Amino acid sequence: MNDLAITALLVLSLFVILGSGVWIGLTLSGVAWIGMQLFSARPAGDAMAVTIWGAASSWTLTALPLFIWMGEILFRTRLSQDMFKGLAPWVQGLPGRLLHTNVIGCTIFAAVSGSSAATCATIGKMTLPELQRRGYPEAMTVGTLAGASTLGLLIPPSIIMIVYGVMAEVSISRLFIAGVFPGLLLAVLFSGYIMVWALRHPEQIPRSTERLSLAQKIAATRSLLPVVLLIAGVLGSIYVGIATATEAAAVGVVGALLLSALQGSLDWRSFRDALMGATRLYCMIALILAGAAFLTLSMGYIGLPRHLAAWIASLGLSQAQLIAALAVFYIVLGCFLDGISMVVLTMGVLMPTVQAAGIDPIWFGIFVVLVVEMAQITPPVGFNLFVLQGMTGRELTWIARVTLPMFALMALGLTLIYLFPGFVTWLPRQMMAG
Amino acid sequence: MRRVLDTLYDGAAGLAALFLLGLLTMVLLAIVSRLWHFMVPGIDAYAGYLMAASGFLALAHTFKRGEHIRVTLLLNLLQGRWRRALELWALAVSTLLAWLFAFYAAKLTWESWQFNDISTGNDATPLWIPQLGMAVGALIFAIALLDELCLEALGRQRPKASAEALRNE
Amino acid sequence: QTKWDLPAAYPATNFHSENLAQFAADVDKASGGKLKITVHPNASLFKAPEIKRAVQGGQAQAGEILLVNFQNEWPIYGADGLPFLADSYDEAVKLWKAQRPMLEKKLAEQGMMVLYAVPWPPQGIYSKKPINSAADLKGVKWRAYSPATARIAELVGAQPVTVQAAELSQAMATGVVEAYMSSGSTGYDTKTYEHLKYWYDTQAWLPKNAVIVNKKAFDALDKPTQDALLKAAAEAEARGLAMSKKTNTETLEKLKAAGMQILPPSPQLKADLAKVGETMLKEWLDKAGPEGKALIDAYRK
Ligand code: NA
Ligand code: NA
């Protein structure tokens, strides 16, 4: 059976199983199982258990449940109200008003967390209920959050950059630095979109309730202090060298508990609720991660992504054609695999081609991170969509639809860094000179 | 029987929460040990084990609370008999997959014991011990799915915590 | 035609992986296309600690493992990581000759066999500050990524820290890690020179990667294919050794060019570390029992 037929069969079985209402994590294992049994001549079960165990117990994942927990604690404090009180006077003047808190919140939190699912869960816990309470349209709150939370990958620290850096033998520190401007670029694009949308739909944005003098604005800004302190504490712990990027999540949990105690909202009940809430939300994601790990293994055995990558490499494309082909390749692959698996399964085959085409490996790293970000929000397998489904109870297809404009903006971002590679390469070059 | 099963799911979830607390403790210990110059060997491995146990042990409870996600587009389009048939199909496939996973998770744990498989890290833990968390969690999850399948087949499905409640949280 | 999967943990560009790719091509040619081995580098199929288990359980027919990783299971694997027991390429080859029969016996009990082993370049000490004696290592934050490196830290009074490979680069940048032991090539691959400026060429030990194969999978091959496989393995062992030596010289040059100071250890440091090595050898012999003694006797013969 050729690759095309195998692909068609697997994609078909994915849609059938998923569409019939089988739980997502189990669906992924089911498709992986079918793929391995039919096309790899290796017994699936034992390999599945080994791989799921390895993925579920890996140290690098520990930041995820901890950040989720941090979000659950903060959700039960006055912190999110405070954050809105502090930000409101400053974003009131912008079209779209408080919708910008999603973008600002995610951009700042991305500097703390290396994963986009954690960014989505933590910021979403704070902004979604607040924005909804204030009457902002859910399609916009959920859509912009899904898009902006992918910045967790582009703004350092970033798990996927570490994975890429090790595979492509590129300096991880330089990759981190290279992600800063493209990350801000995306944030500006998201905010710009909110403004354009708000100008076209003024009736859907709740009216501002008050006009404040500058002194009042500054007074209100003081409410931001707890959030700023928390973020500064977590970031500081990384850059002062107290904690590694993964361990910083634990600093975040302790900081959130402290804040909650200082505000008087920490009692046994809220502690237990936050802990149980975090356990369940993490468990939901863990089941999907387990399925995704098995699907990756199955793909590794069958060799589909590898063959496709090798095929693209064999086409002898020009630099521009190659980049376009790879963008399409990763976007399509990103519909079905999670970002890290995508990189691990294909990079070994593609890296020589990329280097031969004279593409700067740092630039290519940012390119890869961007397409991986897009993979986070493309159905049927998109982790930010899953997190949001878990948090809002909305249908996956609805979430994917309201997120579509963000996908388009990220495609625009991709085009921009292609046209103006300086966005990526300028800052690391300064670092080298310095 | 109902009471026994519910206690099983919730008890495992309580244990999962304790393990999450343990994970936090381990990571904090890693930070503190560096600051105060002592060494706890294999702390990163223990953090990983606790995380895994936490994730797997909470599976059944999370499932019973309706917090595992799936695509319900088609289900919501259907009515009456067809809807029930599709629900039964989805539950049957899920139950089958969950039992497969439970079986192989148990087999992995058993073989780790047989092979004397020891962690390669500084912790040198016999791997069957932490893997037990995965095997037990997967088994309870498989039981919960079978439980749900039976309830659905017998038409004794209890109303789920509504999605609306989730949304307001 | 038989198809095998061979998971490996290191990037495709690492010399071990390149050697594996060549090995797979040789096997393909020598067996007349009857045995096709797909190498899965970069832990893309199984992660480093899972590979031995995957071969043992038959999920992969063959795999590449770092022997010293498995010393918790059986001390003989850990002989590779004893400081100053075998501290040059020639000695590493000698040690492998002594280890191999014992390893073959052990792996046979577990349903596996060993095809070949290739040493990594010799291990030195990366450090932020200059080191003239073991006393200079007191309180230094030292990455303890294996039982052996943790024990060395204890013996010299360094502060052992646990940092995963993925976070090493950032940990060095922020001062969480100030020193660690590894080869020149690992330091070059991880861009250690961006953060730490000194490398002491202590030649402490040369850990080996071994390629192992599931016995049942091997037995299922016909005799000519088996012979082709073993012949290609012997060639890979010789080729790998040469590649390792070449990589060592080249990466040390590249490290120098990147601003790293490549220094020989001072006589004091050498003496201090030798003492550490003696202590660790004694401890290891206690743990490894008569098997360990037999290995050391065979090696020193
Ligand atoms: Na980040
Ligand atoms: Na996707």
Side-chain angles (χ1 to χ4, degrees):
Chain A
M1 213 179 201
N2 67 22
D3 285 345
L4 205 62
I6 297 178
T7 312
L9 189 104
L10 290 181
V11 170
L12 185 74
S13 54
L14 177 66
F15 277 104
V16 168
I17 303 177
L18 203 61
S20 68
V22 175
W23 282 264
I24 292 175
L26 294 169
T27 302
L28 299 183
S29 342
V31 174
W33 190 287
I34 293 173
M36 245 184 108
Q37 287 294 12
L38 292 185
F39 308 120
S40 83
R42 309 264 177 273
D46 296 313
M48 166 178 77
V50 171
T51 271
I52 289 182
W53 168 252
S57 61
S58 109
W59 159 263
T60 33
L61 189 62
T62 54
L64 182 64
L66 293 176
F67 274 131
I68 288 176
W69 188 6
M70 172 178 160
E72 291 279 343
I73 298 167
L74 294 181
F75 164 68
R76 287 168 175 80
T77 63
R78 280 201 330 270
L79 197 79
S80 40
Q81 286 107 299
D82 284 350
M83 184 172 108
F84 278 79
K85 221 197 291 170
L87 279 178
W90 301 103
V91 293
Q92 285 303 0
L94 295 176
R97 286 195 247 287
L98 288 173
L99 279 178
H100 294 281
T101 49
N102 264 341
V103 179
I104 298 172
C106 288
T107 309
I108 295 173
F109 193 74
V112 171
S113 134
S115 109
S116 83
T119 308
C120 190
T122 315
I123 295 299
K125 252 322 192 198
M126 299 209 282
T127 59
L128 286 182
E130 279 292 313
L131 287 172
Q132 205 169 3
R133 208 166 53 79
R134 291 163 194 250
Y136 284 85
E138 200 182 4
M140 278 303 280
T141 57
V142 172
T144 53
L145 175 65
S149 57
T150 62
L151 288 177
L153 301 178
L154 198 50
I155 293 177
S158 160
I159 296 172
I160 187 81
M161 283 187 194
I162 293 172
V163 171
Y164 173 86
V166 170
M167 298 195 55
E169 299 187 342
V170 175
S171 156
I172 291 162
S173 345
R174 233 174 271 164
L175 266 177
F176 275 11
I177 299 285
V180 173
F181 277 145
L184 294 178
L185 172 72
L186 272 194
V188 168
L189 287 178
F190 293 141
S191 268
Y193 170 74
I194 292 175
M195 289 194 249
V196 171
W197 185 89
L199 288 174
R200 293 184 55 198
H201 305 87
E203 74 291 347
Q204 292 201 39
I205 299 291
R207 295 198 175 285
S208 136
T209 43
E210 53 209 0
R211 291 253 162 263
L212 298 176
S213 70
L214 186 67
Q216 283 171 313
K217 274 189 181 178
I218 290 171
T221 306
R222 280 209 306 249
S223 313
L224 280 179
L225 200 64
V227 187
V228 170
L229 276 181
L230 180 61
I231 301 257
V234 178
L235 259 185
S237 73
I238 299 176
Y239 290 99
V240 169
I242 292 175
T244 66
T246 306
E247 293 163 355
V251 178
V253 174
V254 172
L257 283 172
L258 265 175
L259 269 181
S260 151
L262 287 176
Q263 293 191 339
S265 47
L266 182 67
D267 53 26
W268 167 240
R269 209 188 123 82
S270 77
F271 178 79
R272 194 197 54 194
D273 287 353
L275 182 57
M276 284 314 293
T279 306
R280 282 194 297 268
L281 184 52
Y282 171 64
C283 170
M284 182 276 273
I285 299 174
L287 179 62
I288 301 175
L289 284 173
F294 181 30
L295 186 59
T296 302
L297 179 82
S298 174
M299 286 296 140
Y301 275 119
I302 305 170
L304 270 182
R306 201 172 57 233
H307 297 166
L308 266 170
W311 176 70
I312 292 180
S314 71
L315 291 178
L317 301 172
S318 74
Q319 203 190 58
Q321 286 169 329
L322 180 66
I323 289 171
L326 288 179
V328 173
F329 168 64
Y330 277 122
I331 287 170
V332 172
L333 207 59
C335 291
F336 305 100
L337 291 176
D338 76 284
I340 292 182
S341 315
M342 234 158 76
V343 174
V344 170
L345 287 176
T346 59
M347 207 50 78
V349 178
L350 283 177
M351 215 50 218
T353 317
V354 168
Q355 272 160 351
I359 301 173
D360 177 0
I362 296 256
W363 182 90
F364 189 68
I366 299 303
F367 168 89
V368 165
V369 173
L370 254 168
V371 288
V372 164
E373 280 197 30
M374 295 163 85
Q376 298 284 331
I377 55 169
T378 50
V381 182
F383 273 86
N384 285 28
L385 305 179
F386 297 155
V387 171
L388 282 169
Q389 185 181 354
M391 286 200 304
T392 62
R394 284 290 201 153
E395 189 61 61
L396 191 66
T397 41
W398 181 85
I399 298 172
R401 204 174 59 233
V402 301
T403 307
L404 195 62
M406 306 304 133
F407 178 82
L409 289 173
M410 285 153 85
L412 176 63
L414 203 59
T415 318
L416 285 176
I417 66 156
Y418 174 69
L419 294 176
F420 308 103
F423 269 122
V424 175
T425 51
W426 186 77
L427 203 53
R429 221 172 270 152
Q430 299 309 303
M431 189 178 95
M432 260 175 82
Chain B
M1 187 65 184
R2 184 74 267 141
R3 281 253 309 275
V4 173
L5 286 176
D6 287 344
T7 313
L8 177 67
Y9 307 147
D10 296 344
L15 205 56
L18 278 182
F19 284 143
L20 186 56
L21 200 62
L23 164 63
L24 175 69
T25 316
M26 282 302 148
V27 180
L28 287 177
L29 208 54
I31 299 174
V32 169
S33 69
R34 254 193 324 262
L35 288 178
W36 292 342
H37 303 282
F38 63 94
M39 160 103 171
V40 188
I43 206 162
D44 46 349
Y46 293 124
Y49 303 151
L50 287 164
M51 173 177 65
S54 177
F56 289 113
L57 284 170
L59 280 172
H61 166 85
T62 307
F63 172 72
K64 278 292 182 176
R65 302 247 320 199
E67 291 187 30
H68 280 303
I69 60 170
R70 57 175 174 160
V71 177
T72 48
L73 193 68
L74 194 58
L75 273 167
N76 289 338
L77 285 177
L78 295 175
Q79 290 296 329
R81 242 184 14 180
W82 287 106
R83 185 189 165 111
R84 236 193 103 200
L86 187 63
E87 183 74 59
L88 275 174
W89 153 261
L91 271 168
V93 173
S94 300
T95 307
L96 173 72
L97 288 166
W99 278 99
L100 274 175
F101 177 52
F103 173 77
Y104 283 102
K107 188 173 171 223
L108 177 83
T109 311
W110 166 254
E111 282 180 354
S112 291
W113 185 62
Q114 287 276 299
F115 290 176
N116 187 26
D117 206 359
I118 293 176
S119 156
T120 58
N122 284 340
D123 59 308
T125 312
L127 282 175
W128 66 269
I129 299 172
Q131 283 168 353
L132 207 55
M134 171 167 84
V136 171
L139 180 66
I140 299 177
F141 182 44
I143 293 173
L145 270 155
L146 189 62
D147 171 14
E148 195 74 5
L149 179 65
C150 293
L151 287 175
E152 182 70 36
L154 298 172
R156 272 194 255 151
Q157 187 62 277
R158 290 169 304 174
K160 277 265 151 45
S162 75
E164 204 58 40
L166 259 176
R167 219 172 293 167
N168 290 334
E169 202 181 290
Chain C
Q1 192 198 38
T2 312
K3 282 186 179 170
W4 280 11
D5 289 298
L6 193 158
Y10 304 95
T13 46
N14 183 281
F15 76 90
H16 284 292
S17 307
E18 284 173 354
N19 190 30
L20 267 177
Q22 184 62 49
F23 165 67
D26 290 351
V27 170
D28 187 9
K29 213 161 92 197
S31 69
K34 270 205 275 183
L35 177 58
K36 291 233 185 271
I37 301 179
T38 308
V39 180
H40 302 264
N42 219 333
S44 59
L45 204 55
F46 291 101
K47 297 194 197 69
E50 297 162 4
I51 291 175
K52 178 163 169 282
R53 169 69 184 260
V55 175
Q56 190 173 2
Q59 285 100 53
Q61 290 77 5
E64 185 189 42
I65 59 170
L66 177 66
L67 288 174
V68 71
N69 257 351
F70 297 90
Q71 63 183 327
N72 288 335
E73 182 194 318
W74 188 47
I76 302 298
Y77 288 124
D80 271 21
L82 288 170
F84 308 108
L85 176 65
D87 50 7
S88 67
Y89 276 105
D90 292 343
E91 303 254 298
V93 170
K94 228 176 111 196
L95 178 62
W96 174 233
K97 279 206 182 105
Q99 263 172 316
R100 184 163 185 154
M102 303 179 85
L103 229 76
E104 269 169 352
K105 195 162 146 261
K106 183 76 176 179
L107 285 170
E109 288 167 16
Q110 301 180 333
M112 290 178 281
M113 37 189 286
V114 61
L115 286 180
Y116 70 84
V118 171
W120 285 87
Q123 311 282 299
I125 303 176
Y126 288 97
S127 168
K128 200 169 173 172
K129 288 178 296 195
I131 308 167
N132 290 315
S133 66
D136 291 338
L137 284 168
K138 255 210 175 69
V140 163
K141 288 179 190 149
W142 171 282
R143 177 169 180 242
Y145 57 92
S146 66
T149 50
R151 185 68 186 131
I152 294 173
E154 260 179 283
L155 290 172
V156 300
Q159 155 74 34
V161 293
T162 306
V163 164
Q164 296 272 313
E167 292 188 316
L168 180 58
S169 177
Q170 209 190 356
M172 290 188 292
T174 56
V176 171
V177 168
E178 297 169 329
Y180 74 98
M181 286 190 85
S182 197
S183 65
S185 69
T186 309
Y188 185 75
D189 290 349
T190 55
K191 308 267 186 295
T192 294
Y193 51 81
E194 289 179 355
H195 312 289
L196 307 181
K197 290 299 168 204
Y198 300 92
W199 189 66
Y200 291 92
D201 192 5
T202 54
Q203 310 231 341
W205 67 89
L206 294 85
K208 291 184 291 288
N209 274 4
V211 174
I212 53 173
V213 54
N214 184 293
K215 187 78 169 53
K216 270 191 210 140
F218 181 81
D219 290 342
L221 302 173
D222 59 24
K223 188 76 180 54
T225 312
Q226 284 179 350
D227 292 342
L229 183 72
L230 294 177
K231 187 164 160 284
E235 286 166 13
E237 184 160 302
R239 183 176 56 232
L241 183 66
M243 285 170 95
S244 181
K245 287 176 181 169
K246 188 160 158 266
T247 305
N248 188 37
T249 341
E250 282 173 4
T251 46
L252 291 187
E253 281 310 310
K254 284 195 260 182
L255 278 178
K256 244 184 237 165
M260 174 85 74
Q261 300 216 36
I262 308 286
L263 303 163
S266 71
Q268 181 64 49
L269 181 62
K270 239 180 171 163
D272 291 345
L273 291 175
K275 226 179 278 161
V276 169
E278 271 166 42
T279 313
M280 286 178 67
L281 180 61
K282 217 176 284 155
E283 289 169 354
W284 180 83
L285 278 170
D286 286 344
K287 220 171 22 180
E291 264 177 331
K293 195 171 173 309
L295 172 66
I296 298 300
D297 290 346
Y299 164 64
R300 291 207 163 136
K301 197 171 58 189

